[in-house]
Amino acid sequence: MNTAGFRSIVTYLTVAAAIVIAGGLHAGAPEPVKTDAGLLSGTSAAPGVRVFKGVPFAAAPIGDLRWRAPQPVAKWTGVRTAGTFGHVCVQPKGIGRLNVSVDLPDSPAASEDCLYLNVWTAARSGAERRPVMVWIFGGAYSEGAGSSPHNDGGALARQGAVVVAFNYRLGPFGFFSHPELTEESGHHASGNQALMDAIAALKWVQTNIAAFGGDPGNVTIFGESAGAAIAAGLVASPHTAGLFRRAISESGAWMGLGIAAMRTRQQAEQPMGMRGAPPPVPMPLRELRAKPADEISGTRAGAGMIVDGWIIPEDASLTFANGRQHPVDVLVGSNKDEGTFAGSTTAAAWINRVRQRWGDVADDYLKTYPGGSDEEATRSAQTAFRDEMAWHMRLYASLQAKRGQRAYWYFFTHEPPYAPNARNLKAAHTVEIPYVFNNLRAARVFPDASSPELASASAPERALAERVSSYWVNFARTGDPNGQGLPRWPRWTASSDATASPMIIGDVNEVPDPQRLAFYDTLYAKLLAGLKN
């Protein structure tokens, strides 16, 4: 970071601190807060911030409601105390690595009764109209929660946003297709229960967020990895018009983490079985609904967002290519070392994977990403993952710019501090999240930030977190991340050419090679041609 940039951040920090001292300590929405289901009282999250935890936004999807679209929540009388997080959705626990949603000592219990959200606000009254930021967590569609420590919205609330983080059904509960579900849906569709949960949460926001000082007409959805893919899917869905105005996708979009056609409902409806050989025909739905949750968790179903014919009516690549997605502003990007979390590979495995995936262009691909040795194959695999992700995010920005919307593309290059005994993953997948939330003390997905050495962040770390979170809040407020004291972020436009660079966020001056990204343009053109045929 150059001297001018550092001075500008110091200036910004000084101004931000003055604002907090002048007014933030006395903030807080008056209580109880009235929602459409009843009155709520919250608790103090930080100086000037109130948090409302465990707010139900839909009925518990249990029993006959398992796999159905979210149903209205039951109303309550009196004042509901929203001081503790609700259950997280059923997900893997104790799997040999830390899952910060369920494995921490104070993690909420997991349950199918999990459709809860949390609201952080520093608004002084319900008459305020602050920008609303709705977080969609990541976790390979199979883990995560709106209550995870790194999702804490207190700092963003202090910076002027009203923050909402919600749970959505995961794995075989959130992405399950079945012929009987398709028939009973009324839309000849099944398989995107998690997206229906997201839509239900966004409708809750439209109905209720004004009571917390938020502006229902200025909602930004933002997510990372699987959450970023869901956010892009919501931009493509015909059923989300008017629910949000802007979208942020961090390291993921509608194709997931790279180039791929979306699975169809017909593919997803293949019989579900326990790990091992599936049964020859689908098990009756009534029997599946009667099974315990842990037995359902052991199935192979639930691989993620699909073309269900309703929430996602067509492959979203066609939607975006034809300009049928919603006209929303976007801020999108990825990280310098996206693939380091995946570990190493061998030359034989890398070459086999490339040939299976890319077929007749595999030889050309291997010239760019060779696998002459295990070390070279590992380096190629990580570089290819990084490049393909960056290409996907650039495509997203370009298509929204072509749609006439504001678009901003970033490349996060900062390598955070790592615990002394942790593997150095550099600027890996997910490492931007603590900076986005201005929340450096929370347990991180990668790296392991549980050591005392990482508990108190350095001044440069804090300055970067202020910068990144300010960009995100500014974008949510106006559709432009720029603001006083921040390094200028150029807008990505329809005329930006293939050699234009993203905004570098971090202290490593490195960007994806435009020539390598051009190769993915060729591969994507083949995918689109196949989808159109």
Side-chain angles (χ1 to χ4, degrees), residues 14-275:
T14 303
V15 173
I19 292 172
V20 170
I21 292 172
L25 295 178
H26 303 289
E31 297 181 31
V33 173
K34 184 178 181 181
T35 73
D36 62 339
L39 299 174
L40 289 172
S41 65
T43 187
S44 177
V49 178
R50 299 291 288 174
V51 60
F52 299 80
K53 301 177 179 179
V55 181
F57 65 90
I62 58 177
D64 286 343
L65 296 185
R66 180 185 280 174
W67 296 308
R68 290 186 188 271
Q71 300 299 305
V73 67
K75 297 187 178 187
W76 60 85
T77 58
V79 179
R80 181 185 179 112
T81 302
T84 58
F85 291 119
H87 297 136
V88 303
C89 294
V90 177
Q91 59 191 281
K93 179 179 173 64
I95 55 177
R97 61 170 177 77
L98 182 69
N99 178 348
V100 295
S101 299
V102 292
D103 289 338
L104 299 177
D106 58 349
S107 293
S111 170
E112 282 190 85
D113 175 11
C114 64
L115 297 185
Y116 298 95
L117 55 77
N118 315 298
V119 182
W120 290 262
T121 181
R124 294 179 176 86
S125 76
E128 293 190 35
R129 288 294 179 266
R130 299 189 176 208
V132 181
M133 301 179 70
V134 181
W135 172 247
I136 309 174
F137 62 81
Y141 299 113
S142 61
E143 63 184 66
S147 56
S148 297
H150 53 250
N151 299 345
D152 187 288
L156 296 181
R158 288 196 303 273
Q159 289 170 247
V162 175
V163 181
V164 178
F166 66 92
N167 294 339
Y168 57 86
R169 284 171 281 183
L170 299 164
F173 299 96
F175 302 93
F176 177 52
S177 296
H178 188 285
E180 290 182 57
L181 277 176
T182 299
E183 183 178 353
E184 76 174 21
S185 71
H187 309 295
H188 199 68
S190 64
N192 282 327
Q193 292 87 359
L195 272 71
M196 290 190 283
D197 295 342
I199 292 171
L202 289 168
K203 288 181 177 179
W204 184 95
V205 167
Q206 287 298 306
T207 302
N208 296 294
I209 206 64
F212 298 85
D215 182 356
N218 192 15
V219 175
T220 296
I221 57 174
F222 69 128
E224 188 274 340
S225 195
I230 290 174
L234 296 174
V235 172
S237 175
H239 300 285
T240 59
L243 295 182
F244 54 90
R245 191 171 180 178
R246 301 182 180 96
I248 298 173
S249 280
E250 305 165 25
S251 301
W254 65 90
M255 287 183 281
L257 306 187
I259 297 176
M262 297 180 71
R263 286 197 316 149
T264 65
R265 176 182 57 76
Q266 290 79 7
Q267 292 170 327
E269 280 184 356
Q270 295 304 307
M272 180 181 78
M274 305 306 293
R275 300 196 189 281

Side-chain angles (χ1 to χ4, degrees), residues 299-530:
T299 68
R300 298 180 298 108
M305 188 168 61
I306 67 166
V307 180
D308 65 351
W310 175 245
I311 302 298
I312 305 294
E314 62 179 354
D315 194 299
S317 284
L318 293 175
T319 303
F320 280 91
N322 292 309
R324 290 193 284 263
Q325 77 276 24
H326 293 299
V328 298
D329 302 327
V330 298
L331 186 155
V332 300
S334 57
N335 300 347
K336 177 175 67 71
D337 304 290
E338 284 283 352
T340 53
F341 73 93
S344 60
T345 188
T346 66
W350 172 243
I351 291 171
N352 182 58
R353 189 165 71 196
V354 169
R355 294 201 180 283
Q356 285 186 340
R357 187 178 182 201
W358 299 119
D360 59 354
V361 297
D363 288 338
D364 290 335
Y365 193 89
L366 288 168
K367 290 177 184 177
T368 305
Y369 305 103
S373 66
D374 291 353
E375 181 180 354
E376 184 177 60
T378 295
R379 187 164 55 250
S380 288
Q382 293 178 357
T383 303
F385 191 105
R386 183 268 306 274
D387 290 348
E388 192 171 346
M389 177 79 79
W391 169 88
H392 194 4
M393 307 319 292
R394 186 187 70 175
L395 174 69
Y396 192 0
S398 297
L399 290 174
Q400 289 307 104
K402 183 180 178 181
R403 187 80 167 77
Q405 300 305 123
R406 285 177 286 192
Y408 295 87
W409 178 35
Y410 74 84
F411 196 59
F412 191 89
T413 69
H414 177 67
E415 299 178 13
Y418 284 76
N421 297 323
R423 184 160 56 101
N424 188 338
L425 301 175
K426 301 183 179 180
H429 194 62
T430 80
V431 299
E432 85 289 350
I433 296 175
Y435 302 91
V436 167
F437 279 88
N438 202 353
N439 184 16
L440 299 176
R441 292 175 178 266
R444 309 185 189 190
V445 181
F446 305 112
D448 178 2
S450 61
S451 71
E453 288 82 358
L454 299 182
S456 57
S458 66
E461 286 285 297
R462 294 195 301 272
L464 182 60
E466 285 285 346
R467 174 187 169 190
V468 175
S469 58
S470 296
Y471 278 143
W472 263 237
V473 173
N474 288 345
F475 177 77
R477 181 180 291 114
T478 67
D480 184 339
N482 293 290
Q484 184 177 5
L486 295 173
R488 183 70 185 170
W489 186 337
R491 179 174 168 179
W492 190 262
T493 69
S495 60
S496 298
D497 65 30
T499 62
S501 297
M503 175 69 172
I504 295 176
I505 300 180
D507 36 25
V508 179
N509 188 20
E510 181 179 335
V511 296
D513 183 345
Q515 290 186 332
R516 287 201 300 262
L517 297 194
F519 188 66
Y520 292 99
D521 286 329
T522 302
L523 298 174
Y524 189 58
K526 293 185 65 174
L527 172 68
L528 278 177

